[in-house]
Amino acid sequence: MASNMKYERLLQPGYIGKVKTRNRMIKSGAAMLYWHEDETDVPENMMVFYEALARGGVGLLVVESPTIDFPFGRRWNRRYRIDDDKYIPGLKKLVDVIHKHGCPTFMQMNHDGPWQSMWGPTPIIPGPPIGSSPTTLNSPLDFHNEPPRELSIAGIGEIVDKFANAAVRAEKAGFDGIDINAGSSHLLHNFISPYWNRRTDEYGGTPENRARFLVQIIKEMKKRVGDDYPITITINGIEIGQVMGIDNQSCITPDYARKIAKILEGAGADAIQVRSHWLGRHTSSFMTEAIFYPEPPVPLEKFPPEYNRKYWGKGANISLSAGLKKVVTIPLMVVGRMGPELGEQALKNGEADFIVMTRRLLADPELPNKVASGRLEDIAVCTACDTCIDAGGVKRCRINGALGTDNLWTHAKPEKKKNVVVIGGGPAGMEAARIAAIKGYKVSLYDSQHRLGGMIPMAALVKGTEIEPLPDFVRYFENQLKQLGVDVHLDHEVSVATIEALKPDAVIVATGGLATVPDIPGIDKPIVVKGGEIHKKLKTYLGFVGPELLRKLTKFYLPIGRRVIVLGGEIHGAELAEFLVKRGRHVTIVDTGEFLGAGMIMHLRQQLLIWFQQKGVKMLTGVTYEEITDKGLILVDKDGNRQTIEADTIVTALPLSPNTELAEKLKGIVPEVYMVGDCKEPRLIVDAIRDGLQTGHDI
Ligand SMILES: Cc1cc2nc3c(=O)[nH]c(=O)nc-3n(C[C@H](O)[C@H](O)[C@H](O)COP(=O)(O)O)c2cc1C
Ligand code: SF4
């Protein structure tokens, strides 16, 4: 595979125990939750998902954790199970599909133990959770508000047995090894951590005692499946308490983690994967860039020095890995927004032996093959939006519309070659054009703006690009459309007459939604800046200087008063409010609905709302608008009180409305007319991409 010398180390084969990997890129275990816990067979979308990864060239594919101890071991529904032999045949089919592509596969195993049993009105498990000690931690961004029941020594023995039974079943199903998740804040971490584990028996007090449970699991597994059956352990190389007012020294320090790593090596572990954990912040601990959203929780200079804070979460755990590598001889695998560049560097510097990724591989399962063949610009970019981890529903990806579907999307070449015109170069239009071109159609894309991307440059201006590199998203499509020979016409307004002259076989209308103007007396007063007008004004600047520079300039000049009312509290309004607060504005967000930040990813939304509170942002939901005056907004709050909110500027930030006019006019003129994206139904980028994929495929 090692044909691309720039990534020589990354493309070198490696070993984890006796298992050979074709390169140094590993897909970590990630709960896609496409299963149902009662199913014994692997659902088709799961097969498709893992097959795509194996085919894409990854060196080792870790399949997500099943429940080894039902019901106490899991806090999510839709997690598959391995607590009975009846699950083996189904899993064997999955393993065979992965092996077919020359890819070894490990099964991840964990136990959710101390996570609270209550999730909303219905408990996921009966009774309290289980943990090393009844330690709790109140945080809306974590799962430890409920005191766990201290696990008895007999209970520990039972769980050791369940892990070992699961290992036997995994081996029978054909898995090449096991990755035990003792990271994040699961049960095994809960025993290792001096913060959580307050026991005074042989499972508490010293690193050896706290690691005893995990050591027993490793030894029992090896006893039953053989000493040479590889077992890797995922641990937190650091546990950071300071955001919760807890002394970092009372948690897992890098030095303490090194002691644990040595103990695990001594117990027979074949490799260690390192991640980090911030107490009280579950998801943004392992989605490493999310800890920086909307601002780092503590000033950067106060971050622990071993936590790499340089690149907004990229490679956050590299120094921790380097530290662990100094004390063990088994391979070190580092996770946390790793990518080819950083990965190659870390391997070259001897800071790790393997790099571990999830999201970049969800965005593009072919990433390893593309690295090997030097096609870096063809890699679909993961923009760290975290859509894929959002709670509820089938996990989806903002750039890989295929994720979560049971369709192989082979895009068969059609018999008749059509001339396809796409009107609009936003995400839906670009994706539809890309897929139609892959199918072999002659595709032209028209957009009235100076650059491709539709509303993406505007979103990048508001959100910033350090965490979410949205301009890379657009660059990826620009490249793909160019390579596929799509004829792109920018600065080109399309009318019915244009289409009549072009005479295409099919038109895909992707012109975007219409700005919504609320019907409030006084809405046309000069104090009001309407969302649609801002976009119109900024479009030209965005086209020429791009969102990054324009965003910087808005720190010096922004024609918006000091006191601002943001009218509309869904994702657009919430993110606009964040942008304004970061530019020194005093912001009030008002919405007629009850749920601020709708459309945002759950953990990011919660972090933003906490930040709003810290910054003194007023948030008024369930209001009724009465009138806009020259001084501000008169409304009735949800308690029925009439209030005047004084402001210098009122900005409208409401969801868009559909825009079907052009498509309607084209019906009867063009044989096939399709609508995709916001013009059909205004939603999020992830929906626009799926829409574009489906239409490009179906056309
Ligand atoms: C949808 C999703 C589910 C995840 N579930 C798990 C899990 O079950 N076990 C685990 O160890 N890590 C899980 N993770 C974390 C990943 O394994 C990985 O550590 C994290 O995504 C950081 O790597 P990345 O920056 O390459 O995505 C999950 C990540 C995602 C995106
Ligand atoms: S959904 Fe977003 S974070 Fe997840 S893989 Fe796709 S682009 Fe990356």
Side-chain angles (χ1 to χ4, degrees), residues 28-31 108 181 275 286-287 335 337 357-359 388:
S28 52
Q108 189 181 55
N181 185 356
R275 59 167 62 163
F286 55 85
M287 311 297 247
V335 71
R337 199 97 189 113
M357 298 174 282
T358 274
R359 285 167 298 165
C388 51

Side-chain angles (χ1 to χ4, degrees), residues 682-694:
R683 284 169 297 166
L684 303 171
I685 301 172
V686 61
D687 303 297
I689 288 288
R690 176 66 70 79
D691 222 8
L693 168 68
Q694 189 73 56

Side-chain angles (χ1 to χ4, degrees), residues 287 289 337 358-364 380-389 396-400 403 473 686:
M287 311 297 247
E289 69 296 313
R337 199 97 189 113
T358 274
R359 285 167 298 165
R360 289 191 198 277
L361 292 164
L362 301 189
D364 193 342
V381 190
C382 166
T383 45
C385 61
D386 290 0
T387 302
C388 51
I389 200 154
R396 301 184 303 157
C397 172
R398 186 199 248 182
I399 195 162
N400 176 7
L403 188 78
F473 177 100
V686 61

Side-chain angles (χ1 to χ4, degrees), residues 67-120:
T67 303
I68 58 127
D69 174 20
F70 191 85
F72 289 99
R74 66 94 170 87
R75 294 297 179 277
W76 306 109
N77 290 321
R78 303 194 313 276
R79 177 170 261 187
Y80 73 107
R81 289 171 61 174
I82 195 163
D83 54 324
D84 192 289
D85 284 353
K86 69 181 178 191
Y87 299 106
I88 297 173
L91 288 168
K92 187 163 183 343
K93 284 187 213 155
L94 175 63
V95 170
D96 290 346
V97 159
I98 296 170
H99 280 167
K100 197 172 79 186
H101 297 281
C103 185
T105 177
F106 285 15
M107 176 185 277
Q108 189 181 55
M109 286 185 192
N110 86 329
H111 195 297
D112 287 342
W115 289 9
Q116 63 209 40
S117 58
M118 292 300 298
W119 295 89

